Amino acid sequence: MKLDISMVTRVTEQCNKGCAYCSMQEKRNEYIRLETVENIITKVQNYNSVIAHFTWIGGEPLLMPDDFFYHITEFSNKNNPNNLQVSHSIQTNGLKLDSQRREFLQGIGFKIGISYDGTPALQSQLRRNRGRLPVVGSELRNLTNANKKVGTISVITKLSYGQEEKIYQELKKVSKTASLNLFAPIGEGRKCQTGLLPTKEQAKEMMIKFYELWRDDNDKFQLHPFIEIVKSFFTGRSNICEYSAISCYRILGINSQGDVYTCSRSIDIPETSMGNINRDQLEDILKSPSRQLILDRYFGLQNEGCKYFSICSGGCPIEASSTNGFMGKSYYCCEVKGGLFGKIEEDLNDDAIRKSLEARLFG
């Protein structure tokens, strides 16, 4: 079965910050060429049948000038022979996202996400500038000035433990949509694994607490991945890459030189390389043995008989590679996510909670 693919592209290997858990191995003074951008967009939009989504990341993507992003939309509009539903998003640290720039980017159709770890204290500890100095004031000002028109992504670490309610309420103040990602020790993040990796029991408690805060909140605040996880209990499958081998299989990563990898988080892992968008045909890239490993892993783990495998898929393979190897389960798979899934399953056996969640998700 042919699947529409999505691309997550590093537009630069450079960044104006030095976050403690950065997934990049190193920062280099390299920037993507417009010819590479056009190749990415043209080849994907020629290949896909229904939709095409492009995410532009770094490093820090907003080190690129405004006309770079305008060219992206030009390429999409010019090269869309299949009349796809095309969308673009940017994930930024927010330092260069003042009101004028945000309005420009959103005006030409970009969705924007800002990396913010939930409280000023956590942000200043974990997301400092290249000189290791905190810059939370500038980031928080730009985030607040966005008036909830951008989403947030937060990394949950050992330092987040016990602060779940504070983080939840702070995120609600600045955004209508937030995503929580458990810390994975990849890239530069391996160096701070001891200080930031929560125990499995801590991680389980945090995820259940965040879920309960969202479950009991009558506001329309959207907290991911809990929305998708609960939905998967109704539908029988997940649609986000961390919990779905199919989504993982169809969302690829590209570096600033056009090299294609199985995932944006695996760009610095040579064995996940699939080809180059400038040199190779997309159809040939998609036949790469590296990509087949995602499905091999899925079928191998499926045979282990996990109760929640259909909505988990063994977790992220890149996350797993840092602890149990690419073909194994992720660090958070059974004890952490299994505990969360068990709590959700228990809730859904309560008719009142089930009806409430169903109405929120599908009503």
Side-chain angles (χ1 to χ4, degrees):
M1 180 179 68
K2 178 187 171 187
L3 297 171
D4 284 354
I5 62 169
S6 297
M7 289 293 190
V8 182
T9 303
R10 277 189 193 171
V11 301
T12 176
E13 311 296 319
Q14 189 55 264
C15 189
N16 51 2
K17 294 193 69 175
C19 299
Y21 41 63
C22 183
S23 62
M24 297 174 68
Q25 293 279 41
E26 61 176 330
K27 298 176 176 67
R28 302 184 299 277
N29 195 33
E30 296 177 1
Y31 299 84
I32 199 167
R33 294 181 295 114
L34 284 176
E35 293 90 338
T36 302
V37 173
E38 186 167 18
N39 278 335
I40 293 168
I41 292 172
T42 301
K43 290 184 178 183
V44 170
Q45 292 185 184
N46 284 341
Y47 178 85
N48 285 8
S49 301
V50 181
I51 63 171
H53 182 69
F54 302 90
T55 304
W56 307 93
I57 64 170
E60 171 48 44
L62 295 189
L63 292 176
M64 305 298 279
D66 285 349
D67 64 352
F68 169 80
F69 298 101
Y70 181 76
H71 285 305
I72 287 174
T73 61
E74 277 193 320
F75 295 146
S76 281
N77 293 333
K78 183 176 73 172
N79 302 298
N80 191 7
N82 300 322
N83 294 315
L84 306 175
Q85 300 174 38
V86 180
S87 57
H88 296 275
S89 62
I90 299 169
Q91 186 59 37
T92 172
N93 60 38
L95 272 178
K96 297 180 74 67
L97 191 72
D98 58 27
S99 296
Q100 183 177 355
R101 192 157 206 210
R102 175 183 54 77
E103 290 170 3
F104 165 75
L105 291 167
Q106 291 177 327
I108 60 174
F110 281 87
K111 298 177 182 177
I112 300 173
I114 291 183
S115 301
Y116 180 63
D117 287 346
T119 71
L122 287 171
Q123 189 79 349
S124 64
Q125 283 180 278
L126 299 171
R127 294 184 179 270
R128 300 189 170 203
N129 67 13
R130 296 299 298 277
R132 309 304 302 157
L133 297 174
V135 286
V136 64
S138 300
E139 298 165 311
L140 192 53
R141 180 175 61 254
N142 289 340
L143 182 54
T144 302
N145 289 343
N147 296 317
K148 298 189 177 183
K149 294 178 182 178
V150 300
T152 59
I153 293 182
S154 306
V155 176
I156 301 304
T157 70
K158 182 186 292 187
L159 302 180
S160 311
Y161 183 64
Q163 299 193 61
E164 298 84 6
E165 185 159 6
K166 185 174 183 180
I167 291 170
Y168 185 86
Q169 297 301 333
E170 289 285 335
L171 291 175
K172 278 188 65 176
K173 289 180 183 178
V174 296
S175 180
K176 294 178 182 178
T177 304
S179 297
L180 305 180
N181 294 334
L182 285 164
F183 165 68
I186 57 178
E188 281 291 298
R190 291 190 181 95
K191 297 178 181 178
C192 56
Q193 179 172 343
T194 303
L196 297 183
L197 188 68
T199 67
K200 293 181 179 181
E201 185 61 30
Q202 287 174 331
K204 181 179 78 171
E205 289 180 24
M206 284 192 286
M207 292 299 279
I208 290 176
K209 179 63 175 177
F210 280 121
Y211 157 70
E212 290 176 333
L213 287 164
W214 170 77
R215 178 200 64 191
D216 297 338
D217 191 345
N218 292 322
D219 287 349
K220 294 183 179 180
F221 181 59
Q222 299 183 56
L223 186 64
H224 306 280
F226 304 102
I227 290 173
E228 291 84 0
I229 293 172
V230 176
K231 275 186 178 179
S232 70
F233 274 85
F234 288 95
T235 64
R237 59 185 177 83
S238 178
N239 291 319
I240 50 176
C241 64
E242 185 179 350
Y243 298 89
S244 167
I246 296 299
S247 293
C248 178
Y249 189 69
R250 56 173 291 275
I251 303 175
L252 309 181
I254 304 185
N255 69 9
S256 62
Q257 306 306 302
D259 299 315
V260 184
Y261 294 81
T262 58
C263 173
S264 64
R265 302 172 88 187
S266 74
I267 284 175
D268 295 311
I269 303 176
E271 54 267 34
T272 67
S273 176
M274 297 170 58
N276 185 282
I277 201 71
N278 295 315
R279 297 191 304 265
D280 306 318
Q281 295 300 314
L282 183 57
E283 289 79 2
D284 294 332
I285 291 172
L286 296 177
K287 295 175 184 176
S288 167
S290 298
R291 190 174 185 230
Q292 180 61 38
L293 285 177
I294 294 171
L295 298 183
D296 293 344
R297 174 181 183 267
Y298 174 84
F299 290 118
L301 293 177
Q302 186 180 44
N303 293 331
E304 296 186 12
C306 173
K307 179 181 180 180
Y308 300 113
F309 188 76
S310 66
I311 56 175
C312 177
S313 298
C316 170
I318 306 306
E319 180 187 293
S321 69
S322 66
T323 50
N324 299 321
F326 186 92
M327 302 300 284
K329 294 180 179 179
S330 77
Y331 171 79
Y332 297 111
C333 188
C334 296
E335 295 93 326
V336 179
K337 293 174 182 175
L340 173 63
F341 297 155
K343 176 59 181 172
I344 293 171
E345 184 176 43
E346 177 186 316
D347 282 353
L348 293 179
N349 287 327
D350 182 302
D351 286 342
I353 296 177
R354 183 183 184 89
K355 289 178 181 178
S356 173
L357 290 171
E358 190 171 16
R360 287 174 66 182
L361 297 174
F362 304 103

